[in-house]
Amino acid sequence: MSSALSHLPRDWRFWLLALALVAILAALVAPRVALTRTARDILLVVDVTGSMNVRDTVLDGAPATRLASARRGARALLAGLPCQSRLGLGIFTERRTFLLFEPAEVCENFAAIDGAIDGLDWRMAWEGDSYVARGVHSALAIAGGLKADLLFMTDGHEAPPLAGGLPGFDAKPGDVQGLLVGVGGTEPSPIPKFDEDGREIGFYDEQDVPQENRTGPPPADAPSRAGWNPRNAPWGGEPASGTEHLSAMREEHLRALAAQTGLGFAALGTAPALLADVEANTRPRPVQVRVATAAVPAALALFCLAVLFGLGAASSRRPDRLPSR
């Protein structure tokens, strides 16, 4: 009886070693399996106008600009997109979107795309105006030509403010799917002001920015304004006053713009929430991927060897004979 038991550990080790050897051989010849997954084709456009310099967001526990938060969210989205997805990049300023590069495969070009997103800066803007609605319309036209969905990140601050509501949208709503992502806080905050060398010199005040858009026909209440003259002062004789020198994320305006164009809307949140919002508002593209299966038998071989050497170490510490009485 004791002789049979003494052979049991050797038999146990033999079978573990044999199983590990078979698993290793299986890992060497394991086939790649074809699976169908979904990918996305997205044109990412980031607002780089002056109001995106407002520090009303938080990154790593410290105040951060809206543009910095948009960059962080965009880089997290890039990391969360599955391979064979394609991502292009553009910037918005003045009244149109400028395409930096067309959608490229995210895994093969990850470092280049990530670096381009990280390099987005307010100094890339070529004009001080910010016609967000026109910029979204322009981005939709570009995305449609690229057969991509649109992700447009902005605070929605129109400068100067729109006159007479949203401008007309010539395309068919919903032809290009996508998402408007609102960036920034909901409470008005001062907009940083910079000199010609890019040094921050304070904040814009009421006299620095147009408080009213005085193009086109005057508003209906113009005759009741002080100094109104139908020919010489159709908007009244007093300078316009208001709070356009303060900025907040214009959620109501962005929702109206999303409804006009057939896009979705979401405020910028955590990386998982942003990825979920993008998946809910963009079109999946089925792709065939070949997945290696060698990891399964390799893991089995590793487990067998770990148990084998663990048992060996435990038996080496066990006394060979029971102590005599």
Side-chain angles (χ1 to χ4, degrees):
M1 179 70 174
S2 61
S3 176
L5 291 176
S6 66
H7 288 289
L8 184 58
R10 280 204 301 267
D11 296 339
W12 184 263
R13 293 188 184 96
F14 171 77
W15 290 113
L16 275 177
L17 187 59
L19 182 57
L21 178 60
V22 172
I24 291 174
L25 293 175
L28 293 175
V29 299
R32 298 173 70 88
V33 178
L35 298 177
T36 301
R37 292 181 176 173
T38 58
R40 312 271 166 175
D41 294 335
I42 296 173
L43 172 61
L44 168 66
V45 177
V46 179
D47 185 344
V48 295
T49 58
S51 61
M52 293 293 284
N53 289 320
V54 173
R55 297 183 184 89
D56 61 354
T57 64
V58 177
L59 290 179
D60 301 324
T65 66
R66 296 171 184 171
L67 184 55
S69 290
R71 286 197 302 261
R72 172 74 69 89
R75 295 177 70 186
L77 172 67
L78 172 66
L81 289 174
C83 289
Q84 298 198 40
S85 294
R86 293 189 286 258
L87 184 72
L89 185 63
I91 57 173
F92 158 71
T93 187
E94 200 244 342
R95 66 180 64 223
R96 67 186 181 94
T97 290
F98 180 80
L99 180 67
L100 297 180
F101 56 83
E102 295 183 2
E105 203 281 328
V106 295
C107 290
E108 293 180 359
N109 303 283
F110 183 88
I113 299 175
D114 184 69
I117 294 173
D118 192 44
L120 295 177
D121 188 85
W122 65 271
R123 295 171 181 85
M124 301 171 78
W126 55 84
E127 289 287 347
D129 292 340
S130 177
Y131 291 87
V132 177
R134 292 293 188 191
V136 172
H137 295 173
S138 170
L140 285 167
I142 296 173
L146 296 172
K147 294 181 170 44
D149 296 326
L150 177 65
L151 178 62
F152 197 105
M153 307 181 82
T154 179
D155 56 14
H157 187 137
E158 303 271 1
L162 293 179
L166 290 172
F169 181 54
D170 297 332
K172 181 180 178 182
D175 268 0
V176 176
Q177 296 186 26
L179 183 69
L180 294 182
V181 179
V183 185
T186 57
E187 295 298 323
S189 300
I191 304 172
K193 186 178 182 180
F194 298 85
D195 64 14
E196 60 184 10
D197 295 319
R199 294 187 294 260
E200 188 170 343
I201 56 174
F203 299 97
Y204 286 98
D205 58 29
E206 189 175 2
Q207 290 73 39
D208 289 328
V209 300
Q211 300 290 338
E212 184 179 42
N213 192 328
R214 293 190 170 182
T215 60
D221 68 340
S224 63
R225 297 182 180 184
W228 176 78
N229 182 283
R231 177 180 177 181
N232 300 321
W235 283 273
E238 300 293 331
S241 61
T243 59
E244 292 298 319
H245 56 293
L246 303 176
S247 179
M249 191 265 285
R250 310 293 174 90
E251 180 171 345
E252 183 177 353
H253 175 58
L254 290 175
R255 287 189 180 276
L257 184 56
Q260 181 198 50
T261 55
L263 299 173
F265 170 80
L268 180 61
T270 62
L274 176 60
L275 184 59
D277 289 329
V278 169
E279 290 177 345
N281 289 277
T282 56
R283 297 165 295 180
R285 174 171 55 87
V287 294
Q288 290 285 332
V289 295
R290 299 188 66 83
V291 179
T293 59
V296 176
L300 176 60
L302 180 62
F303 173 77
C304 292
L305 292 175
V307 173
L308 177 64
F309 286 107
L311 288 175
S315 62
S316 66
R317 291 195 299 268
R318 218 171 27 180
D320 292 336
R321 295 191 301 254
L322 292 173
S324 57
R325 293 185 181 179

